Amino acid sequence: DDPGRSARALKEIQVALSQRPQAATIHATAAKIYAHLGRPEDAITQLQEAARLAPKFLDYHFDLARAYAAAHQYERAIAEYQAVLALDPKFFDARYNLGNLYLDLHRPHEASEQYAAIIAANPRIPDVWHNLAAAYYAAGDMPKAQWAKQRALALEAEARPGR
């Protein structure tokens, strides 16, 4: 990646922001540039503004949750994922990421709740079953962990070509 190109993009987006400070899409684009440049706090600031300007556009909130998690601001990430899910309980990626975050934070019961909700909507995604198994394992529930793992493996076997 050309550092000069990134610097030019940042200057261009800063000009665009000065001309249209109420444009959520420009703030979201600025956030991507800042993240690319390794400036997570600036990316978060831009995503916060994008989410404030377009509160019902869930992708900004989702991206903000991811940015918080990447910056190790875990409780803020959880709150943002929960805000997304309050507006759209079927936002699969938000629920999946929230489950993964809970699992990473050693909160397996909360993780398993997120994975179970995904499975209730679509029981045919092996990765979710694998993660559910990991959550049950982390919670010390070996029978449920084994059951979920077997379900994941069965789904993977069904999906193999030539079956």
Side-chain angles (χ1 to χ4, degrees), residues 29-44 47 67:
T29 302
K32 289 177 184 174
I33 294 169
Y34 282 124
H36 179 75
L37 292 171
R39 294 173 57 181
E41 291 304 321
D42 291 322
I44 287 170
L47 285 167

Side-chain angles (χ1 to χ4, degrees), residues 6-23:
S6 296
R8 285 188 303 277
L10 181 58
K11 280 187 177 184
E12 289 174 18
I13 204 72
Q14 288 170 335
V15 168
L17 280 170
S18 71
Q19 294 169 347
R20 297 184 56 214
Q22 298 301 311

Side-chain angles (χ1 to χ4, degrees), residues 18-79:
S18 71
Q19 294 169 347
R20 297 184 56 214
Q22 298 301 311
T25 56
I26 297 174
H27 287 281
T29 302
K32 289 177 184 174
I33 294 169
Y34 282 124
H36 179 75
L37 292 171
R39 294 173 57 181
E41 291 304 321
D42 291 322
I44 287 170
T45 298
Q46 293 302 319
L47 285 167
Q48 288 170 331
E49 187 63 10
R52 185 189 70 75
L53 290 167
K56 293 188 180 183
F57 190 70
L58 298 182
D59 287 348
Y60 297 154
H61 294 278
F62 177 74
D63 290 345
L64 180 56
R66 290 177 46 207
Y68 282 143
H72 309 287
Q73 296 179 30
Y74 301 122
E75 292 306 317
R76 292 177 102 181
I78 288 168

Side-chain angles (χ1 to χ4, degrees), residues 2-160:
D2 175 13
R5 184 173 162 216
S6 296
R8 285 188 303 277
L10 181 58
K11 280 187 177 184
E12 289 174 18
I13 204 72
Q14 288 170 335
V15 168
L17 280 170
S18 71
Q19 294 169 347
R20 297 184 56 214
Q22 298 301 311
T25 56
I26 297 174
H27 287 281
T29 302
K32 289 177 184 174
I33 294 169
Y34 282 124
H36 179 75
L37 292 171
R39 294 173 57 181
E41 291 304 321
D42 291 322
I44 287 170
T45 298
Q46 293 302 319
L47 285 167
Q48 288 170 331
E49 187 63 10
R52 185 189 70 75
L53 290 167
K56 293 188 180 183
F57 190 70
L58 298 182
D59 287 348
Y60 297 154
H61 294 278
F62 177 74
D63 290 345
L64 180 56
R66 290 177 46 207
Y68 282 143
H72 309 287
Q73 296 179 30
Y74 301 122
E75 292 306 317
R76 292 177 102 181
I78 288 168
E80 204 64 35
Y81 282 131
Q82 290 171 336
V84 169
L85 292 169
L87 292 169
D88 182 1
K90 294 179 182 179
F91 197 125
F92 169 86
D93 290 337
R95 193 168 296 284
Y96 187 75
N97 286 7
L98 180 57
N100 292 345
L101 182 55
Y102 281 138
L103 197 56
D104 291 344
L105 295 174
H106 308 287
R107 293 164 65 174
H109 297 290
E110 291 160 296
S112 63
E113 289 172 5
Q114 298 307 314
Y115 301 135
I118 295 168
I119 288 167
N122 185 349
R124 306 207 42 84
I125 305 170
D127 285 348
V128 179
W129 284 98
H130 280 294
N131 290 12
L132 181 61
Y136 285 145
Y137 179 82
D141 191 336
M142 297 312 140
K144 283 187 178 178
Q146 185 176 16
W147 166 77
K149 188 68 165 180
Q150 288 173 344
R151 186 68 187 123
L153 294 173
L155 288 168
E156 288 174 343
E158 289 174 17
R160 279 194 204 109

